[in-house]
């Protein structure tokens, strides 16, 4: 396996971005106004690839990170489709196929008459079963930054994986970032439990609601400052108000949002995170990186779904009320042939994209 050791890549700047997190299927239903209880509500419905971790990886690649890798867990029902979609977005996926659970599914209800705000119905499926047995020290070879999806913290296996991955990254000098992911799930997990679990994380990327929940403070700036006394760098996403960068108990920068006309706010925070991390890997300071994140978030809210456009085009598939673009039938499960490297960085780092059978013996991605 070629490439700089993780710590060397981090010290020299650049290196790959490794994202560990959820890969799910999004069913996005766009409607206008309140749902009509007990009867029909007209909606435009599409089935799209999603997942906070996968979205972050795709946006990082879209915003110029040449080597983005993703470790996730999916069911056999949609493994091949998700792999194809990730590769098309410039991500090098390492997907473990769960032998029992289906791919996670999220129903996104988007009210187009209320600033495109969304409500999620979540069945995490196989993504919550990602665990330390899916980790390998070799995943950090050539990695400049490790990003963890906060959804990992909402299952026992995910929490164990976070502890393992953070310890590995710290031992190799690789900075770690984490996005809390869900204010609703944070309430169930508990604030102090969350803060104990993120010990060792270098960058925390909460939303305004998550930052306020984690600190008990009603003001977003006060909450970001307070969090930065416990995590070295806090970048708090403020939605239409941009982002705040805080360190050592003080807000260092307030970054304005980029102008946008929202269609669907699904994945806007993931877009911010992916672009922010891509900018950090090029040597940008946190304020400049946050500005990149705001620009990506503006692009995201003008699209349906949580992913960036594939390739150079910005057009989207046509929409029709009540229809859905469904994934193709999956190919037989089991390891696929590595398909090489994507992006201009060449073939440094781990093998090319592959889908791993969750029961395969001797698989290097499941060693360690």
């Amino acid at each position: 396996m070629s490439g700089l050791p993780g710590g060397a890549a981090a010290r020299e700047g650049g290196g790959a971005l490794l994202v560990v997190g959820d890969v799910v299927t999004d069913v996005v239903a766009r409607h206008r106004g309140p749902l009509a209880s007990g009867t029909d509500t007209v909606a435009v419905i599409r089935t799209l690839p999603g997942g906070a971790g996968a979205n972050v990886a795709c946006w990082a690649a879209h915003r110029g990170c040449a080597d983005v890798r993703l470790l996730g867990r999916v069911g056999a029902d949609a493994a091949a489709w998700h792999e194809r979609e990730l590769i098309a977005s410039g991500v090098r996926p390492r997907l473990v196929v769960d032998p029992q659970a289906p791919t996670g599914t999220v129903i996104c209800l988007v009210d187009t008459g209320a600033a495109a705000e969304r409500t999620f119905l979540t069945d995490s499926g196989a993504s919550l079963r990602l665990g330390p047995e899916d980790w390998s020290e070799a995943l950090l070879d050539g990695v400049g930054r490790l990003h963890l999806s906060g959804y990992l913290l909402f299952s026992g296996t995910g929490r164990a994986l976070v502890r393992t991955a953070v310890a590995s990254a710290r031992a190799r000098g690789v900075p770690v970032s984490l996005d809390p992911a869900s204010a609703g799930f944070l309430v169930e997990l508990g604030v102090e439990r969350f803060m104990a679990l993120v010990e060792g994380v270098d960058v925390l990327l909460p939303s305004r609601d998550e930052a306020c929940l984690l600190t008990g403070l009603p003001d977003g700036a006060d909450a970001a400052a307070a969090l930065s006394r416990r995590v070295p760098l806090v970048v708090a996403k403020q939605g239409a108000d941009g982002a705040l960068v805080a360190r050592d108990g003080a807000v260092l920068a307030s970054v304005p949002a980029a102008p946008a006309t929202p269609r669907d706010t699904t994945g806007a925070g993931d877009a911010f995170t992916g672009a922010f991390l891509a900018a950090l890997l090029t040597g940008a300071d946190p304020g400049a990186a946050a500005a990149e994140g705001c620009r990506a978030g503006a692009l995201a809210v003008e699209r349906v779904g949580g992913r960036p456009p594939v390739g150079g085009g910005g057009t989207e598939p046509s929409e029709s009320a009540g229809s859905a673009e469904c994934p193709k039938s999956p190919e037989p499960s089991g390891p696929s042939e590595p398909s090489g490297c994507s992006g201009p960085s060449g073939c440094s780092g781990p093998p090319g994209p592959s889908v791993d059978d969750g029961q395969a013996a001797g698989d290097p991605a499941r060693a360690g």
Side-chain angles (χ1 to χ4, degrees):
M1 196 171 290
S2 61
L4 290 170
R11 287 190 297 272
E12 294 189 10
L17 173 65
L18 171 62
V19 179
V20 180
D22 45 320
V23 180
V24 305
T25 300
D26 284 344
V27 180
V28 181
R30 300 176 67 238
H31 61 95
R32 179 174 291 276
L35 296 176
S37 179
T39 186
D40 294 332
T41 298
V42 175
V44 175
I45 302 174
R46 293 173 58 195
T47 300
L48 300 166
N55 292 345
V56 167
C58 290
W59 279 100
H62 182 70
R63 301 298 285 185
C65 188
D67 189 353
V68 184
R69 311 168 191 179
L70 173 69
L71 173 64
R73 195 173 183 96
V74 295
D77 56 310
W81 177 62
H82 278 292
E83 183 189 31
R84 286 194 297 268
E85 292 292 327
L86 288 163
I87 293 171
S89 292
V91 175
R92 302 170 63 189
R94 189 67 155 179
L95 301 182
V96 179
V97 178
D98 194 291
Q100 298 176 334
T103 302
T105 301
V106 175
I107 298 175
C108 311
L109 304 177
V110 182
D111 186 348
T112 61
E117 280 301 326
R118 72 277 190 274
T119 300
F120 295 141
L121 302 175
T122 302
D123 177 356
S124 297
S127 65
L128 278 186
R129 292 161 61 92
L130 191 66
E133 71 276 10
D134 301 316
W135 178 257
S136 168
E137 295 290 333
L139 290 169
L140 289 174
D141 287 353
V143 167
R145 286 189 172 272
L146 168 66
H147 178 72
L148 303 172
S149 169
Y151 283 106
L152 294 169
L153 298 177
F154 305 131
S155 72
T157 56
R159 289 189 289 271
L161 173 57
V162 167
R163 287 190 287 267
T164 298
V166 170
S168 296
R170 288 181 66 82
R172 297 177 66 163
V174 175
V176 182
S177 56
L178 184 141
D179 187 326
S182 168
F185 286 160
L186 278 178
V187 171
E188 297 181 21
L189 182 66
V191 171
E192 287 308 316
R193 191 178 185 193
F194 173 86
M195 295 308 302
L197 287 165
V198 300
E199 185 175 349
V201 167
D202 302 281
V203 184
L204 191 66
L205 295 128
S207 68
R208 175 166 41 203
D209 289 347
E210 291 157 359
C212 291
L213 174 62
L214 289 169
T215 60
L217 298 171
D219 180 75
D222 291 343
L227 274 178
S228 71
R229 297 186 184 100
R230 303 186 67 174
V231 179
L233 178 65
V234 172
V235 182
K237 296 166 280 189
Q238 307 292 297
D241 294 325
L244 301 171
V245 179
R247 192 193 296 271
D248 297 326
V251 173
L252 304 181
S254 177
V255 181
T261 302
R263 295 182 65 201
D264 175 10
T265 57
T266 303
D270 302 332
F272 178 99
T273 296
F276 173 82
L277 295 173
L280 286 185
L281 282 166
T282 66
D285 63 68
E292 282 296 309
C294 287
R295 285 189 279 271
L299 292 175
V301 301
E302 293 185 331
R303 294 179 52 77
V304 176
R307 299 278 179 89
V310 174
T315 58
E316 298 187 36
S318 61
E319 299 177 351
S320 58
S323 68
E325 180 184 321
C326 297
K328 298 177 182 178
S329 300
E331 299 166 3
S333 62
S336 67
E337 290 298 320
S339 55
C341 305
S342 63
S345 63
C347 292
S348 62
S354 64
V355 176
D356 300 325
D357 188 329
Q359 294 179 316
D363 189 322
R366 302 178 58 78

